[in-house]
Amino acid sequence: MNSGRPVRGMLFLGALLWNMCNGMLFVLTPLFGVTLGFSVLDIGSLVGLPYLVTIVMRFVGGAFADRYGEHRMLQACYSLNVLAAVALCMASGFMSLMLSSGLANLSRSMFWVPAQSMASQLSVRNPGKMLGQLSAANYTGQLLGLSLGGILASSLGYAPTFALVASACVVCMLLGFVLPAVQRKRGGRTVWKITLEMSQRLTERRTWLLL
């Protein structure tokens, strides 16, 4: 297990940056849609429809993390955020904005399970402390992103703001690609098998009691 201070720093800094960037994308997409003259229905669709992807990926995300490792899932998550920011930079209509929103939501659905799993493995004695520090990084990033999105768009304009978001996403992605695995994964189980094992949990009474 690789759980030194540099790993914690890369995980928490990456989490803060990812939440900041994703929060800015969440704010900027509908704001830009208003600027383009979209209707209330169009704006609602941009925000709501991509969440259908989130429902599926939240369920199977744990299976992918268990099979391929949390660090690889976070690398994919951060890379999708870059694609979402690039799509937003090139957006000029409803479908291109929907593409950006869909990629951002896909990234969002892939983040939580591997990030929390990885944080809990960083300290065998104090997993709760690691999860608390991760939550602090997450909420700080969200607060910054949701606040800065509108402020930067108002002061700088959309094009420079989109470029800044894309640059921050690239930095976050680079952090993800130097993030090592904290624990070697067991081989021999496919994603399908892991997903079936997780599905069986839904038939247990204690699962629904927890929900």
Side-chain angles (χ1 to χ4, degrees):
M1 179 178 290
N2 190 345
S3 57
R5 191 177 297 272
V7 179
R8 294 200 297 270
M10 285 187 287
L11 175 62
F12 297 150
L13 180 58
L16 189 150
L17 277 175
W18 177 86
N19 277 279
M20 183 183 73
C21 294
N22 205 264
M24 292 178 72
L25 290 172
F26 185 79
V27 170
L28 290 169
T29 300
L31 286 179
F32 191 52
V34 171
T35 302
L36 294 177
F38 292 170
S39 66
V40 174
L41 179 61
D42 291 336
I43 299 297
S45 299
L46 284 174
V47 174
L49 287 180
Y51 271 95
L52 295 175
V53 178
T54 304
I55 296 173
V56 178
M57 282 306 300
R58 281 286 180 93
F59 184 69
V60 301
F64 280 101
D66 193 50
R67 180 67 177 85
Y68 299 111
E70 292 86 355
H71 68 301
R72 296 195 185 282
M73 286 293 293
L74 289 175
Q75 290 166 4
C77 166
Y78 296 161
S79 298
L80 284 170
N81 225 31
V82 173
L83 293 178
V86 172
L88 186 59
C89 290
M90 302 173 63
S92 59
F94 179 80
M95 293 307 298
S96 51
L97 272 182
M98 179 63 78
L99 174 62
S100 175
S101 182
L103 289 169
N105 272 275
L106 183 58
S107 174
R108 190 176 301 126
S109 67
M110 295 173 64
F111 173 77
W112 299 103
V113 173
Q116 291 172 346
S117 175
M118 192 171 192
S120 68
Q121 296 175 59
L122 290 176
S123 175
V124 177
R125 298 179 60 184
N126 297 300
K129 179 181 178 180
M130 295 298 102
L131 288 171
Q133 292 177 358
L134 175 66
S135 294
N138 289 337
Y139 292 127
T140 300
Q142 289 176 15
L143 178 62
L144 288 173
L146 294 173
S147 302
L148 288 175
I151 294 173
L152 291 176
S154 176
S155 58
L156 300 179
Y158 284 108
T161 301
F162 293 166
L164 285 174
V165 175
S167 299
C169 288
V170 170
V171 173
C172 181
M173 181 184 68
L174 294 177
L175 278 174
F177 278 100
V178 296
L179 188 65
V182 293
Q183 184 173 350
R184 186 178 297 277
K185 294 299 176 181
R186 292 177 295 169
R189 295 196 301 168
T190 64
V191 171
W192 176 247
K193 184 176 180 180
I194 297 169
T195 304
L196 287 178
E197 292 174 359
M198 294 171 60
S199 301
Q200 291 172 1
R201 296 287 185 184
L202 296 176
T203 63
E204 298 179 5
R205 182 170 178 267
R206 61 182 178 179
T207 300
W208 296 103
L209 289 175
L210 288 174
L211 296 175

